[in-house]
Amino acid sequence: MTVSLMDPTDISKTQDVETTPFPLDRWYVAALGKELTDKPLGRTLLNRAVVMYRTPDGQIHALEDRCCHRDLPLSLGTVEERGVRCGYHGLLFDGSGKCLEVPGQAKVPSKAKVSAYPVREQDSIIWIWMGSDASSEPNCEPPEYKVHSDERYRYDGDVYHYNAPYQLIHDNLLDLSHLGYVHLRTIGGNASIHMNAEMKVESEGDSVRVLRLMPGSTPPPTYTAAYPFKDKVDRWQEIVFHPSHLEIWTGAVDANTESLDDPNRGGFHLRGFHGVTPETDETCFYFWTQASNPVSNPEETMKLVIEQTAMTFDEDKVVIEAQYANMKRFPDKPMIDIHVDVGPNRARRIVDRLRGA
Amino acid sequence: MTVSLMDPTDISKTQDVETTPFPLDRWYVAALGKELTDKPLGRTLLNRAVVMYRTPDGQIHALEDRCCHRDLPLSLGTVEERGVRCGYHGLLFDGSGKCLEVPGQAKVPSKAKVSAYPVREQDSIIWIWMGSDASSEPNCEPPEYKVHSDERYRYDGDVYHYNAPYQLIHDNLLDLSHLGYVHLRTIGGNASIHMNAEMKVESEGDSVRVLRLMPGSTPPPTYTAAYPFKDKVDRWQEIVFHPSHLEIWTGAVDANTESLDDPNRGGFHLRGFHGVTPETDETCFYFWTQASNPVSNPEETMKLVIEQTAMTFDEDKVVIEAQYANMKRFPDKPMIDIHVDVGPNRARRIVDRLRGA
Amino acid sequence: MTVSLMDPTDISKTQDVETTPFPLDRWYVAALGKELTDKPLGRTLLNRAVVMYRTPDGQIHALEDRCCHRDLPLSLGTVEERGVRCGYHGLLFDGSGKCLEVPGQAKVPSKAKVSAYPVREQDSIIWIWMGSDASSEPNCEPPEYKVHSDERYRYDGDVYHYNAPYQLIHDNLLDLSHLGYVHLRTIGGNASIHMNAEMKVESEGDSVRVLRLMPGSTPPPTYTAAYPFKDKVDRWQEIVFHPSHLEIWTGAVDANTESLDDPNRGGFHLRGFHGVTPETDETCFYFWTQASNPVSNPEETMKLVIEQTAMTFDEDKVVIEAQYANMKRFPDKPMIDIHVDVGPNRARRIVDRLRGA
């Protein structure tokens, strides 16, 4: 796979702002598994209002978030063994969207039903199938994410709401050169080293892989706080883009001690899961987890890693939301590409293709 | 009058959201009497910005809420014996909307006037006549509400602003079956008893009367806190709908001790006045008072009754505003009717007829 | 110059609300000099998003507020000797808008540039040239304001954001008769004296001068707090309107002690600078400074004068924003003119002419 350092494809602002459709007939992240407890959870995904709930036996279900009687969101209702009960007049719906009971009425009208969405819980992530129409059924299982069950790692995560369309988060994560400008307090480091990192971009099917190596770097604050580095480090950043999520494996070893090609190398590791799911054309959800391999004081170290990761992603949110607001203030101005845009632009072409653009 | 337990009329969502007109040429509640003190009160009613004020002699007046000079709301001005004075350059307007004085100018321009609205204060309620055009004059007096002057009761009330159209409050009040799901903390009780209550629906002219009887009920928290019930109770709910307001008489007697047909029966009584006035097509005001017959510690008991009534109506507001927001998220989905919708649907037909729909 | 006390020209509300253009090819106030420190300052002026910054050598520059790479506002970046650096990927722009550096990339694309605006710092005010098109160059220097360097005065000021179009502030400042209704806590005084003040209105070129004399007035709270008046005072108000700003010279001397025609008269002086710059068609910025001549305890007195001036302008903001919100609620209702509108209406005709209306 060749690496082209200057990609001629412009980001078309018109597309970002005005195109409605997202890639459909695929799994998207709907929630982190820990979010679904004993209460229903309402969330708009790809412009569809969805209620998710977990019955006492642990099963999860997703329905359209409305009672078919008077439109109260079912997410304001309560969960029972047989399903979710509306909080206004008590209509009970099962996981297929069928109304099982109209309190006080002998017969349940045949029209009393709501739409259901296929959902799966896998690797502590809730995936939802977003079809192009009501008859669309999953033709595959959701993506696996084995890091969450890998004994070498501990992890935690959170859900962020973004006032920006989903592809701006793709751009941000596929181009980690911004670390030296945006994240100096945590995982940044010398801007020049980031901007001049050796970069390799590969595509395969619907995926893009960006590999960046920064030997001889000064470790940034989060790294030194979490790991006993001696001095300079050899850093790596490996970003794998999929249309529904990105996997980012970053870290460092003491400089000149281990090969960055060795999959079992030691040092400090951060393995991020980044689910990016459109809410509307202009907003999205960002589901992230961060795993690491604490070498001592694992609880304290993980607390620090998660706090600093959250701080880092807070910084990204400020930048991306400001960027989008500004894109709307300058709708007709062209953007120019620079060398770090190769990965983001490949991902945009994949998304364009998947949505039939 | 026959009672039909399943009404085939659908609520048309399109009508709710898009229809502009309200029934006109009639009295609406504009304020509770206690709201009008020594300052003008600005409020939009049926899409018209109105300022109300009470002159020192106790008279009330209502004008369009703008100075005809530079459009400052007169509700930011001050009240004098002769009328309301603008807070910008001091133009003075009397209760007919005529400008009496332009400070510093000998002659008042003949065009210097604003519209006036007929208003009445009756039973401690301020009513305003909302005509179909500027020449519309009241052809009747406002509705009476004698409970406010009945010596058997004490009462208090409040004004709520709703981000939902007025008819959703009609629906809510005409269908008290929701008490067992929405108001468990206060006036609820067993959901099954509420949903299966014996119900009688009668219409006459522009009114609908819903009578619901629940013998052998467990008294809900507000009832037991306010009245020394011995054990089970016989509960009643009588709701009378008028296009501008509803009267709701609820309560209970110790089970099997008194006839619910006896208008002078004892027990615990709640008599609610519910003025529902559109603000705009999508918002409204809800003016409520609650009267009760405290048998001991009247001040404390009434304080409790009013607090719990407010808590109850807060719960309704959450439900109704969420319902309306969701109706807008699902504009094309049909709603289905259930058995408790007979009363609400009759009221909707009356409102439709009165607005010429 | 004759004085006409009743001007027949109506304010056309349609014009206020719907007309887009402002007078162009002229200087507007962009900031107070003290606002530009070591961080870039983003501000929308005449519907154009602008970033202003001051380099370490004290020079000021203004660019369009976007990086040409991915649209992040440059106002989120950092200032260096050579220019402003984007906070996302570090592109550096000089004061002409040219990109000097793309970190990590040898060649800067020729298209990598943003628009620049002519700016001047004069009398501690930052002026920006707003041309009708990109090629417009200043054909004059910005207005002088010598009061800021006059040794007889001390001054301070602030910037207010208004949810109202700029011309409503012109109206307000050109018609100080409102002081007796709006500003009783500070610079008001007897409403009748204000509304009946002798008034002279003169026009010349693009300027309007309103002179108001109020001999034998009771000094208002701010005056007595700041100056040892003996009893009654002779007050003056001189307002000079220019399309971009107003100069207002007010004050008082002890009654019958000095001629108000004497430019070197004593007494208490307030000299206000009022830059009024549209932000959008419906919003604007109000840049004000207030200078005075404290006769004792100069620091304390000036603190009091500035506090009371801010309080006064807060009151105006409440009135003007309420006025504009109400204008939008009553879009079709005519406004009537009164005697104090001569000055404001002349200014409106000048603005109309300058924007080619």
Side-chain angles (χ1 to χ4, degrees), chain A residues 13 16 168 323-331 335, chain C residues 71:
Chain A
K13 255 181 282 198
D16 290 339
L168 294 184
Q323 176 193 14
Y324 184 57
N326 219 32
M327 287 170 70
K328 292 198 287 187
R329 294 203 299 178
F330 292 99
M335 291 178 181
Chain C
D71 268 0

Side-chain angles (χ1 to χ4, degrees), chain B residues 15-176:
Chain B
Q15 276 189 355
D16 289 340
V17 180
E18 292 180 6
T19 302
T20 304
F22 319 104
L24 293 175
D25 294 318
R26 62 185 50 245
W27 295 104
Y28 280 94
V29 181
L32 298 180
K34 68 178 183 179
E35 290 187 89
L36 279 196
T37 56
D38 57 346
K39 290 191 170 50
L41 172 65
R43 183 165 280 162
T44 294
L45 303 169
L46 288 79
N47 287 323
R48 307 173 203 191
V50 174
V51 58
M52 292 169 269
Y53 64 94
R54 185 191 296 279
T55 45
D57 62 359
Q59 298 300 308
I60 61 165
H61 304 282
L63 306 176
E64 73 180 314
D65 191 11
R66 61 179 282 271
C67 177
C68 60
H69 171 222
R70 284 296 176 266
D71 269 357
L72 191 74
L74 290 173
S75 51
L76 292 188
T78 49
V79 178
E80 300 183 3
E81 290 192 4
R82 290 188 296 160
V84 61
R85 190 179 288 279
C86 179
Y88 205 170
H89 302 91
L91 278 70
L92 178 67
F93 297 88
D94 71 11
S96 75
K98 187 183 164 195
C99 179
L100 301 179
E101 184 188 335
V102 177
Q105 184 168 313
K107 189 171 175 300
V108 176
S110 61
K111 288 184 181 171
K113 60 186 174 194
V114 296
S115 303
Y117 295 93
V119 277
R120 300 278 190 283
E121 184 166 21
Q122 186 173 276
D123 306 315
S124 302
I125 298 164
I126 312 280
W127 297 87
I128 191 165
W129 181 261
M130 284 288 166
S132 50
D133 58 48
S135 68
S136 170
E137 287 291 329
N139 55 18
C140 61
E141 286 305 296
E144 292 190 335
Y145 188 66
K146 290 300 178 199
V147 172
H148 283 174
S149 52
D150 188 322
E151 291 192 347
R152 291 171 296 180
Y153 300 110
R154 291 177 176 229
Y155 77 95
D156 200 359
D158 204 350
V159 183
Y160 283 22
H161 180 269
Y162 259 76
N163 285 315
Y166 68 115
Q167 289 186 283
L168 294 184
I169 300 187
H170 295 170
D171 292 346
N172 174 274
L173 295 173
L174 276 161
D175 161 26
L176 296 190

Side-chain angles (χ1 to χ4, degrees), chain A residues 238-254:
Chain A
E238 182 191 45
I239 305 126
V240 180
F241 165 85
H242 307 286
S244 59
H245 68 290
L246 295 94
E247 299 168 62
I248 302 185
W249 187 1
T250 56
V253 295
D254 280 315

Side-chain angles (χ1 to χ4, degrees), chain C residues 238-253:
Chain C
E238 183 192 45
I239 306 127
V240 180
F241 165 86
H242 307 287
S244 59
H245 67 290
L246 295 93
E247 299 169 63
I248 301 184
W249 188 2
T250 56
V253 296

Side-chain angles (χ1 to χ4, degrees), chain B residues 44 49 64-66 68-73 76 85 87-91 102-105 109 111-112 115, chain C residues 6 11 13 172 175 177-178 181-182 195-196 319 322-323 326-327 329-330 333-339 341 345:
Chain B
T44 294
E64 73 180 314
D65 191 11
R66 61 179 282 271
C68 60
H69 171 222
R70 284 296 176 266
D71 269 357
L72 191 74
L76 292 188
R85 190 179 288 279
Y88 205 170
H89 302 91
L91 278 70
V102 177
Q105 184 168 313
K111 288 184 181 171
S115 303
Chain C
M6 179 58 68
I11 295 181
K13 254 180 282 196
N172 174 274
D175 161 25
S177 68
H178 70 269
Y181 296 102
V182 181
M195 296 304 294
N196 288 286
V319 163
Q323 176 193 13
N326 220 31
M327 287 170 69
R329 294 203 299 178
F330 292 99
K333 294 269 181 160
M335 291 179 182
I336 62 152
D337 278 358
I338 65 170
H339 61 115
D341 298 317
N345 286 345

